[in-house]
Amino acid sequence: MTRISPDWLASAPAHAVCAALEGGGHQAWFVGGCVRNALLGEEATDLDITTDARPERVIALVEAAGLRAVPTGIEHGTVTVVAGGRGFEVTTFRRDVETDGRRAVVAFSDSMEEDAARRDFTMNALYCGIDGAVVDPVGEGLADLAARRVRFIGDDEERIREDYLRILRFFRFHAWYGGDRIDPEGLAACAALAEGVEGLSRERIGHEVMKLLAAPDPAPAVASMAASGVLMRVLQGANPATLAPLVHLEGLAGEAPDPVLRLAALGGHEGGRPLRLSKPQMRALEILSRSVEEAKSAAELGYRLGRDMARKALLLRGAVMGVPPLEGDFAAIETGAKAVCPVSAKDFMPALEGAALGRALAEAEARWVASGFSLTRENLLS
Ligand code: ATP
Ligand code: MG
């Protein structure tokens, strides 16, 4: 019997939610990412619970126990239960009745086995009770997780045809939890059905791609995506060869993974159907992509973009050009980021105004930057 004992499982809110369901004569199982990650000794992102209780019953039971229920996805059987300031996604056991490759029509089920069979990968279909005992209804999840094999449950192609997003999830989970060797059957199925990702919404694709690119080292998974013909269908014109050098440079510089920076290195986000990203992500992507073309000095990058963005721009340029940044470049960024321009609009007023004022100021600022921030206010105004 495999047991886990992560902090969240011992917490009072986790016990309160499970007690409310079990007290009503129902089952309560933690499932998916939180169980998988606990087995790997990693943090949980979200806490998912699955139960044989129907959603209305879940709401009644947890409210009777003094907890708050928010019907966040009631049509899929999901109720978010808030306990001790933490959210638990409680979803009724489900089975797929109909699938069109984009979203499944689900029916509620009374059985954990059916619920497990509709999940994507064996390592994502592990369950644990409040006592920490792990259940593996598919019978392959624990062994696959130990061997770091990301494998589809059941027939690979059939599972992909039900929901083409699973192609992207395959690469995402491989990047995060897979070993050196990607599952050959899963990969072959993704390659055979790659075209199917084109029918997915840009939001869903963007979400999965960004999660993939946030992995500690997504380069091998992205290389497999490219080789199987999936990459060019989500990022037309992307160059997968820039990713490994970027990840290497990030490691040397001690830079935390940033999916936007990785996407900027890959490129291809503008061709075809662009990914739908958040506004801040789009802005950062634009700034980084532009910085590669502009070839500014490290000091100027620091001044114009600020420390954090400038460091990313420097790494990006290093990866794309194949010329690693120097120690001195990082120091120059620090200097540039702290530099304060000695002239301001006031210095040109009232003699100049409007566009002319803007031009004069920009020109003075450019001279000051070009001087390595050494020209003084007097120099610039004379
Ligand atoms: P993360 O830590 O990234 O959140 P996760 O395993 O919790 O990983 P989610 O995307 O949150 O991943 O999904 C939760 C669970 O729901 C998965 O572990 C899997 O069992 C199931 N699941 C999610 N999406 C799908 C899908 N498209 N097809 C089949 N099962 C899915
Ligand atoms: Mg999750």
Side-chain angles (χ1 to χ4, degrees):
M1 166 70 67
T2 306
R3 266 179 202 282
I4 53 174
S5 50
D7 292 346
W8 52 261
L9 192 60
S11 72
H15 279 262
V17 179
C18 291
L21 295 168
E22 288 175 353
H26 292 281
Q27 303 172 39
W29 300 97
F30 287 91
V31 65
C34 61
V35 179
R36 179 197 64 224
N37 287 15
L39 285 160
L40 294 172
E42 294 182 19
E43 295 292 318
T45 45
D46 33 40
L47 297 177
D48 292 316
I49 294 177
T50 181
T51 178
D52 59 326
R54 300 295 192 258
E56 319 75 60
R57 178 93 173 124
V58 171
I59 293 172
L61 287 171
V62 301
E63 284 183 345
L67 305 173
R68 200 153 68 83
V70 188
T72 41
I74 204 95
E75 65 283 9
H76 312 112
T78 303
V79 175
T80 300
V81 178
V82 186
R86 180 135 206 193
F88 296 79
E89 298 242 306
V90 180
T91 305
T92 306
F93 286 150
R94 293 174 302 184
R95 63 191 161 83
D96 288 337
V97 287
E98 196 188 302
T99 51
D100 64 359
R102 282 193 286 178
R103 51 185 43 78
V105 177
V106 295
F108 296 135
S109 162
D110 295 316
S111 117
M112 174 197 277
E113 284 70 25
E114 280 185 329
D115 185 80
R118 67 165 288 280
R119 294 179 182 271
D120 44 11
F121 307 109
T122 58
M123 65 169 65
N124 283 352
L126 296 169
Y127 298 69
C128 98
I130 193 69
D131 63 353
V134 176
V135 181
D136 179 5
V138 176
E140 297 166 355
L142 282 169
D144 281 343
L145 186 63
R148 295 202 166 250
R149 281 190 298 252
V150 178
R151 284 202 307 135
F152 284 102
I153 295 171
D155 183 82
D156 306 62
E157 292 203 8
E158 201 175 294
R159 301 314 310 285
I160 292 172
R161 278 200 200 88
E162 289 168 2
D163 179 2
Y164 287 99
L165 191 71
R166 290 174 186 159
I167 290 180
L168 302 180
R169 290 175 65 87
F170 177 72
F171 294 105
R172 193 239 288 191
F173 285 103
H174 176 70
W176 277 95
Y177 307 112
D180 293 337
R181 190 160 167 273
I182 195 162
D183 176 54
E185 274 114 61
L187 184 63
C190 289
L193 300 173
E195 210 185 326
V197 298
E198 289 176 5
L200 299 169
S201 75
R202 299 178 307 153
E203 287 80 1
R204 294 182 88 204
I205 296 176
H207 182 81
E208 275 306 321
V209 168
M210 296 314 260
K211 279 195 155 181
L212 161 65
L213 292 180
D217 182 6
V222 169
S224 296
M225 258 176 106
S228 59
V230 173
L231 186 67
M232 57 102 153
R233 294 183 191 275
V234 288
L235 288 172
Q236 212 181 76
N239 176 9
T242 52
L243 199 51
L246 174 69
V247 172
H248 177 71
L249 294 179
E250 287 171 6
L252 294 179
E255 193 71 19
D258 173 5
V260 176
L261 173 57
R262 274 110 178 247
L263 182 59
L266 272 178
H269 43 85
E270 277 141 8
R273 290 199 318 151
L275 304 183
R276 168 88 41 100
L277 305 176
S278 71
K279 280 237 172 69
Q281 286 178 328
M282 288 301 291
R283 240 184 74 75
L285 188 59
E286 246 174 65
I287 292 171
L288 288 171
S289 306
R290 204 174 329 119
S291 76
V292 177
E293 290 151 27
E294 289 173 343
K296 293 197 165 86
S297 72
E300 183 166 3
L301 287 177
Y303 172 66
R304 300 216 182 262
L305 305 183
R307 177 186 185 273
D308 294 354
M309 189 66 90
R311 285 174 62 90
K312 288 175 187 176
L314 195 63
L315 296 174
L316 175 62
R317 193 195 293 168
V320 172
M321 308 289 189
V323 197
L326 306 169
E327 228 12 84
D329 292 334
F330 290 103
I333 283 181
E334 302 295 330
T335 307
K338 287 191 203 105
V340 180
C341 188
V343 291
S344 68
K346 281 203 301 296
D347 294 314
F348 298 92
M349 290 184 329
L352 296 176
E353 54 183 35
L357 170 61
R359 270 198 305 278
L361 184 58
E363 196 213 307
E365 188 186 38
R367 284 201 290 136
W368 170 72
V369 170
S371 76
F373 315 118
S374 67
L375 289 180
T376 62
R377 181 165 173 278
E378 289 66 41
N379 298 149
L380 292 168
L381 294 177
S382 66

